[in-house]
Amino acid sequence: MGDGIGDGGVVDGGVGGKVEQLRDLRAQRAQLDAEELTLLADISAAMGDDRGVAEELRPVLRVSAREVERRIDDGKSLARRTPRLLAAMRAGEIDAHGARQVLTVVDPLDDEAARNVDALVAEGLDAAETEWQPGNLAQRARRLLEKVDPDG
């Protein structure tokens, strides 16, 4: 075919390298998101006071205290409940926004059921980049949730 952006086609006009730069930046962002969320969970565990941590880190992260608390919760949940999702972030495949979509779906589940959904989501994704889009991840997680917790 060869007429799309970045596939060497007619429309490319020399932007293929820029598309690759975008792909690399997205992967780096995902990796940094994983590092940030992990650090926040570690700081929270060391200090034991999420509200206090949130207040102290609010100016550092330049977001509201509530958003810091939300990120702390995400970091804890990723490590404890969705380790494969965290691994995908570290690999640059999914950013914090996509991870949050899945975390929202598994939030009502107990830890074991959340880990089961996490494993099934990870197993079912192939290399197609569209599979890693946040909406697709959330939709897949919801379908798998019904299998893991049909009475949910």
Side-chain angles (χ1 to χ4, degrees):
M1 296 293 219
D3 62 353
I5 292 178
D7 66 3
V10 176
V11 178
D12 188 323
V15 299
K18 292 185 187 312
V19 170
E20 281 307 309
Q21 282 182 294
L22 284 171
R23 187 173 281 119
D24 291 344
L25 285 172
R26 186 210 37 83
Q28 289 171 19
R29 182 181 311 116
Q31 292 164 339
L32 290 171
D33 285 349
E35 190 172 339
E36 177 184 290
L37 294 174
T38 301
L39 279 171
L40 286 168
D42 290 348
I43 292 168
S44 171
M47 295 186 68
D49 174 19
D50 289 356
R51 167 79 70 208
V53 169
E55 285 299 326
E56 283 191 46
L57 294 179
R58 182 182 52 77
V60 173
L61 296 175
R62 298 180 182 177
V63 296
S64 69
R66 178 63 200 126
E67 177 60 21
V68 176
E69 288 180 283
R70 194 167 156 194
R71 291 180 190 184
I72 289 169
D73 289 344
D74 288 352
K76 289 177 181 179
S77 190
L78 283 164
R80 188 180 74 245
R81 298 163 50 86
T82 56
R84 290 188 183 194
L85 189 60
L86 179 57
M89 290 178 72
R90 288 179 172 147
E93 296 169 335
I94 179 172
D95 63 14
H97 175 67
R100 189 171 278 168
Q101 300 299 309
V102 175
L103 291 174
T104 299
V105 172
V106 301
D107 187 51
L109 301 176
D110 64 35
D111 288 354
E112 183 180 346
R115 281 190 293 273
N116 288 338
V117 171
D118 177 54
L120 292 170
V121 167
E123 287 173 10
L125 295 173
D126 58 20
E129 291 176 352
T130 57
E131 295 296 323
W132 293 99
Q133 292 175 357
N136 292 345
L137 283 169
Q139 182 179 29
R140 180 164 181 74
R142 280 190 294 276
R143 282 194 312 266
L144 293 169
L145 171 92
E146 293 170 7
K147 290 182 180 181
V148 169
D149 187 20
D151 299 328

